[in-house]
């Protein structure tokens, strides 16, 4: 298993646990008397699960197991692979912090966090498509 | 990778690109409020990513790696799998158009969902006999 795949999979496992903690907290907010802002974490919960866990797990396993691109570059571009990992995770973490803050206080001036997060995650998605497309091929 | 797996996985990658673009557009606007109506895109976003990307990718990889048959046809009733692929994508596109024009309860969206259910059943029937030990029969 290449080192980058280990990072993808371990990060995705951390997101899985975090997502379930956040989702659980949002569910238990009223019965446990948690602060009302916990209820704003619904989109964060969803995306920790769908982007952080599922999509990131797919990215890591596909990078590892898909047919080789060539003898010299079996996983196509390794630097692009790392760039995908870094942009996806910084993008998602910016969202996790920024989205509740912006929802709580739209005049906080923190909207840029969501804009940067959007661009970073978009770059990660397209990076993955570019790096993977030619590895999806008939034998 | 067999030809159909290439088609399914590449189609899933296209949906990933479209879904992340729509998601990025919404998130950017949630932050900067250039388009205050950004949430009108949310149904398209969900459909592109949940069904178009994730579900389709998983089916494509399953079609590729599940055990093949020892005798021809090695991939079994492949016409059924092609039919599933076509109906699934008709379903996704119909749902997207339906929710975009008239919202999630529209007739087109319901027809789209119906097609997706037919596709799911088709794939299930197709894959059922391939779920078995390697190197048998
Ligand atoms: C596999 C990946 C993804 C899946 C399955 C997914 C799924 C969803 C779902 C189901 C919702 C509706 C949630 C609700 O109703 O509470 C949603 C909302 C949203 N998604 Fe995603 N999403 C994905 C990736 C992304 C990405 C990469 C971005 C941004 C770059 C994004 C941005 C958004 C935004 C801004 C909303 C609206 C949140 C709100 O209610 O204000 N999503 N997504």
């Amino acid at each position: 298993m290449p080192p980058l795949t280990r990072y993808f999979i371990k990060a995705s496992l951390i997101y899985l646990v975090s997502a379930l903690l956040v989702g659980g907290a949002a569910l238990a907010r009223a019965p446990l008397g948690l602060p009302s802002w916990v209820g704003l974490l619904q989109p964060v919960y969803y995306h920790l699960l769908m982007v952080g866990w599922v999509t990131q797990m797919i990215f890591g396993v596909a990078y590892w197991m898909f047919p080789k691109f060539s003898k010299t570059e079996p996983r196509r571009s390794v630097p692009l692979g790392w760039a995908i990992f870094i942009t996806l995770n910084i993008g998602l973490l910016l969202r996790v912090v920024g989205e509740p803050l912006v929802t709580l206080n739209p005049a906080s001036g923190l909207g840029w966090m969501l804009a940067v997060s959007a661009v970073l995650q978009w770059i990660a998605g397209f990076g993955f498509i570019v790096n993977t497309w030619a590895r999806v091929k008939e034998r | 990778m067999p030809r159909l797996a290439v088609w399914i996985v590449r189609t899933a990658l296209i949906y990933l690109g479209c879904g992340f673009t729509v998601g990025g557009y919404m998130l950017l606007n949630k932050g900067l409020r250039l388009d205050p109506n950004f949430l009108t895109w949310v149904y398209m976003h969900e459909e592109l990513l949940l069904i178009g990307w994730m579900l389709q990718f998983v089916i494509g990889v399953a079609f590729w790696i599940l055990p093949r048959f020892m005798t021809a046809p090695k991939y079994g009733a492949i016409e059924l799998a092609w039919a599933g692929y076509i109906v699934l994508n008709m379903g996704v596109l119909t749902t997207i158009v339906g929710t975009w024009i008239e919202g999630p309860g529209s007739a087109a969206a319901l027809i789209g969902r119906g097609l997706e259910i037919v596709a799911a059943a088709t794939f299930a029937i197709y894959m059922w006999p391939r779920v078995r030990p390697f190197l048998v029969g």
Side-chain angles (χ1 to χ4, degrees):
Chain A
M1 189 186 276
L4 176 55
T5 293
R6 299 207 289 270
Y7 276 82
F8 269 127
I9 296 182
K10 287 188 173 168
S12 91
L13 293 172
I14 294 172
Y15 283 113
L16 171 62
V17 176
S18 320
L20 296 185
L21 284 174
V22 170
L27 257 186
R29 185 182 66 82
L32 295 188
L34 298 176
S36 61
W37 61 263
V38 174
L40 300 175
L41 293 175
Q42 194 68 20
V44 166
Y45 159 61
Y46 249 84
H47 291 85
L48 281 171
L49 207 59
M50 298 299 172
V51 181
W53 153 242
V54 183
T55 298
Q56 180 146 237
M57 175 68 84
I58 289 177
F59 281 12
V61 174
Y63 180 78
W64 170 31
M65 302 270 260
F66 268 23
K68 297 194 174 14
F69 176 63
S70 70
K71 276 225 168 67
T72 49
E73 262 191 317
R75 302 209 157 79
R76 195 135 201 209
S77 167
V78 176
L80 179 54
W82 282 100
I84 295 164
F85 175 75
I86 291 165
T87 49
L88 188 75
N89 284 285
I90 297 181
L92 187 53
L93 290 174
L94 271 175
R95 178 178 192 168
V96 168
V97 177
E99 196 167 27
L101 293 177
V102 170
T103 310
L104 265 181
N105 180 7
S108 61
L110 294 175
W112 64 269
M113 289 175 83
L114 301 190
V116 175
S117 161
V119 173
L120 289 175
Q121 291 182 77
W122 187 86
I123 290 173
F126 274 78
F128 178 75
I129 296 169
V130 168
N131 224 17
T132 309
W133 188 268
R135 291 182 62 189
V136 181
K137 58 182 177 189
E138 284 186 63
R139 210 161 27 110
Chain B
M1 214 182 249
R3 175 164 303 167
L4 178 56
V6 172
W7 276 85
I8 301 179
V9 173
R10 284 191 170 173
T11 308
L13 288 176
I14 293 172
Y15 283 117
L16 169 70
C18 298
F20 266 43
T21 302
V22 173
Y25 176 81
M26 289 197 300
L27 193 59
L28 192 117
N29 280 292
K30 195 165 180 176
L32 303 182
R33 296 274 160 186
L34 305 173
D35 169 10
N37 297 322
F38 67 90
L39 275 178
T40 46
W41 293 87
V42 79
Y43 298 120
M44 183 187 295
H45 172 70
E46 291 179 23
E47 189 67 20
L48 286 168
L49 288 169
L50 287 171
I51 313 293
W53 157 238
M54 290 185 346
L55 185 142
Q56 178 143 245
F57 186 91
V58 170
I59 286 182
V61 171
F63 177 79
W64 171 36
I65 60 173
L66 283 175
R68 278 164 288 172
F69 299 102
M70 304 280 279
T71 52
K74 291 209 152 97
Y75 286 93
I78 196 155
E79 319 74 39
L80 212 54
W82 273 102
Y85 166 67
I86 292 165
V87 175
L88 179 69
N89 286 287
M90 282 167 51
V92 171
L93 295 176
T94 311
T95 306
I96 287 175
V97 173
T99 50
W100 181 254
I101 296 175
E102 283 185 78
S106 67
L110 294 180
I111 292 171
R113 289 268 182 258
L115 290 170
E116 288 170 5
I117 294 169
V118 171
T122 309
F123 278 121
I125 293 168
Y126 163 76
M127 278 181 196
W128 199 269
R130 283 187 63 190
V131 182
R132 63 211 181 80
F134 275 105
L135 300 174
V136 179

